[in-house]
Amino acid sequence: MGRGRPPNGIEWLTIQLCKAFEANVLSEPEQAWAAAPLPPAFGSPAELYSTMKSLVLDEAFAMVREGLTSRKRAVTLRMRIDATLRASDRGARLGALSVTAVGASAPDISSALRSGSVFCLSRGDYQVLAVVDGRSQDGFGKCLLEVSDAALVRLTSAGALSDASLWTARCVASVLTQQRCADACLRQPKVAFMRNLLGARPRCHIRFDGEGQADAGDVAGGASSEGQADVAGGASSEGADDSADAVGAAAAYSTGLNACQRKVVDALGASQNGAVIP
């Protein structure tokens, strides 16, 4: 994870969680939603991804905050510090603790030491938030826990992170899903259905050729050639009749459909308003 490149979603989310923990944000009661209401449609992919990134971060904060304050029983491990790695040593934005879970059963280790698992490590008066780096697991209780570099400096200066020291590690949440969502928001992939993600109304035209074979597609400019029926929600005074004809035609040529497709045709035939969905 070179420091010269933009952070990926996993790294970015871990950084935000560690910063919030160090600033005691996650120990405070959850605040009411203060951001602006979501718009009915987004003006650009960048606007959509930026909004989604804020929502993903808010969800991750809520999950970790609940885990830190909950009294419910959570998986708790004893972890031995094998090595301390500063961010500069790793060429990354986060420091890390190389740890080994000791005295725990195999099921507890396998269920807790998963990519995206968030731990609160404590020893005496010291605490640190850490997230499992899934690329480092070896299946025998050894892994890397990513932590903020500021926390490493603070704890090392206090002499709390000596090698072979034992810490209590309570698993407070798993943010694997949020990591993946954040990664998508940062990469901003260009997907074929982006128009629908931005809030555009879906197209709902069906074209039937002269042979009677159904072919779903767009009818450009709202014009229909001979043998084509436009059923786009009442575009003309004969829209209802056209919709009924379309449903009848689809039912007539449903012999080659599978069970799921036949179910859709039956539902269209039973519709009272003749609405045709692509």
Side-chain angles (χ1 to χ4, degrees), residues 19-256:
K19 283 182 177 179
F21 183 82
E22 291 294 308
N24 294 320
V25 172
L26 299 178
S27 61
E28 299 171 354
E30 186 174 359
Q31 301 297 317
W33 177 255
L38 295 181
F42 296 93
S44 67
E47 182 184 348
L48 167 68
Y49 284 124
S50 177
T51 302
M52 293 302 106
K53 186 173 72 170
S54 298
L55 293 174
V56 167
L57 182 60
D58 191 64
E59 176 67 13
F61 276 14
M63 293 178 64
V64 175
R65 180 183 287 111
E66 181 182 1
L68 288 170
T69 58
S70 175
R71 296 183 179 275
K72 295 180 180 178
R73 183 184 180 279
V75 175
T76 301
L77 305 175
R78 294 285 286 172
M79 288 189 176
R80 184 184 68 236
I81 306 297
D82 296 328
T84 302
L85 304 172
R86 292 287 307 275
S88 56
D89 298 332
R90 307 175 66 218
R93 296 177 177 84
L94 287 160
L97 296 172
S98 177
V99 300
T100 301
V102 296
S105 64
D108 281 348
I109 291 176
S110 61
S111 66
L113 295 185
R114 293 180 176 179
S115 180
S117 291
V118 182
F119 282 91
C120 178
L121 275 67
S122 59
R123 185 186 183 207
D125 295 331
Y126 301 105
Q127 284 190 332
V128 62
L129 194 76
V131 182
V132 175
D133 182 349
R135 300 165 301 175
S136 66
Q137 295 164 290
D138 67 357
F140 296 97
K142 292 181 177 291
C143 71
L144 279 182
L145 299 177
E146 293 193 306
V147 299
S148 73
D149 212 42
L152 281 187
V153 172
R154 174 173 59 85
L155 295 174
T156 302
S157 300
L161 281 177
S162 57
D163 289 352
S165 60
L166 290 176
W167 288 66
T168 300
R170 186 164 64 95
C171 187
V172 297
S174 173
V175 294
L176 179 60
T177 300
Q178 287 70 28
Q179 287 177 338
R180 292 171 175 171
C181 291
D183 197 51
C185 291
L186 289 175
R187 295 182 188 277
Q188 299 191 10
K190 296 179 180 179
V191 295
F193 47 87
M194 178 56 70
R195 181 174 177 274
N196 293 339
L197 289 179
L198 295 179
R201 296 183 62 183
R203 299 181 177 95
C204 55
H205 297 85
I206 290 185
R207 184 176 65 244
F208 294 91
D209 62 21
E211 299 279 332
Q213 297 295 324
D215 180 26
D218 297 329
V219 180
S224 300
S225 60
E226 184 176 356
Q228 294 176 337
D230 186 349
V231 289
S236 68
S237 61
E238 299 179 352
D241 292 337
D242 290 343
S243 296
D245 291 343
V247 172
Y253 292 95
S254 64
T255 55

